[in-house]
Amino acid sequence: MKKLKWIFIAGMCIVVFSACNSNSQKKSDQRSNAVETTISEELHQAHCDLLAKANEELANINQKVRDLNDKIKKGEALTDAQNAALDEFEAKQASINKRMHDIKNIRQEDWENFKTTFENDMQDINAVIDKLLSEF
């Protein structure tokens, strides 16, 4: 009878400790999910901020392109170097437009590299269009 009593007590202790470990694991998982949600929200906000900034900059660049088109329509011809710069501008602008659609899909681990490259390309096309406008 005493053996049965000790086996029952030992079994109850195992059940209690298992429940504690299980509960502890659930809390750990909840904390982990909360951290991931916070990171996801921060990343989402970073995506939105970059997209808003890019839209604003592209609006300014598009105005510069319209100004350049007006100058070209007035009969001022582009040199070969200017045509090459314009081709480079168009290629980078197309790449930027494509990446703007992909911003929301960039993962956390790729974000900093993507953002840096994207911002550098925005600066590059802005510099190219400014240079072309200044040459007229």
Side-chain angles (χ1 to χ4, degrees), residues 9-25:
I9 291 172
M12 290 303 291
C13 287
I14 291 172
V15 169
V16 169
F17 287 127
S18 295
C20 288
N21 285 338
S22 176
N23 214 5
S24 173
Q25 181 65 32

Side-chain angles (χ1 to χ4, degrees), residues 8-133:
F8 178 73
I9 291 172
M12 290 303 291
C13 287
I14 291 172
V15 169
V16 169
F17 287 127
S18 295
C20 288
N21 285 338
S22 176
N23 214 5
S24 173
Q25 181 65 32
K26 286 179 184 176
K27 286 181 181 178
S28 176
D29 290 345
Q30 287 172 346
R31 277 187 245 121
S32 176
N33 287 340
V35 169
E36 288 177 18
T37 300
T38 302
I39 291 171
S40 296
E41 289 172 6
E42 290 173 2
L43 182 60
H44 175 73
Q45 186 60 48
H47 289 166
C48 291
D49 291 346
L50 183 61
L51 195 55
K53 181 180 175 185
N55 280 324
E56 185 178 317
E57 288 183 31
L58 284 174
N60 292 331
I61 289 169
N62 287 337
Q63 181 57 50
K64 292 175 185 180
V65 169
R66 285 190 290 277
D67 294 345
L68 181 62
N69 283 336
D70 289 344
K71 289 182 178 192
I72 292 171
K73 285 180 184 176
K74 291 179 182 176
E76 298 181 40
L78 295 172
T79 66
D80 289 340
Q82 289 170 325
N83 275 322
L86 195 54
D87 289 343
E88 176 189 342
F89 169 84
E90 289 173 348
K92 277 197 176 183
Q93 187 179 26
S95 172
I96 286 171
N97 287 337
K98 181 187 177 305
R99 285 183 283 162
M100 281 182 70
H101 294 287
D102 295 337
I103 284 177
K104 301 280 183 176
N105 300 324
I106 302 301
R107 297 179 315 206
Q108 180 73 37
E109 57 270 14
D110 300 329
W111 176 246
E112 285 304 317
N113 184 42
F114 176 87
K115 181 181 176 192
T116 301
T117 303
F118 188 85
E119 289 175 336
N120 287 341
D121 287 349
M122 289 292 289
Q123 289 174 351
D124 288 348
I125 67 168
N126 209 354
V128 169
I129 199 69
D130 286 342
K131 183 175 186 243
L132 286 169
L133 278 171

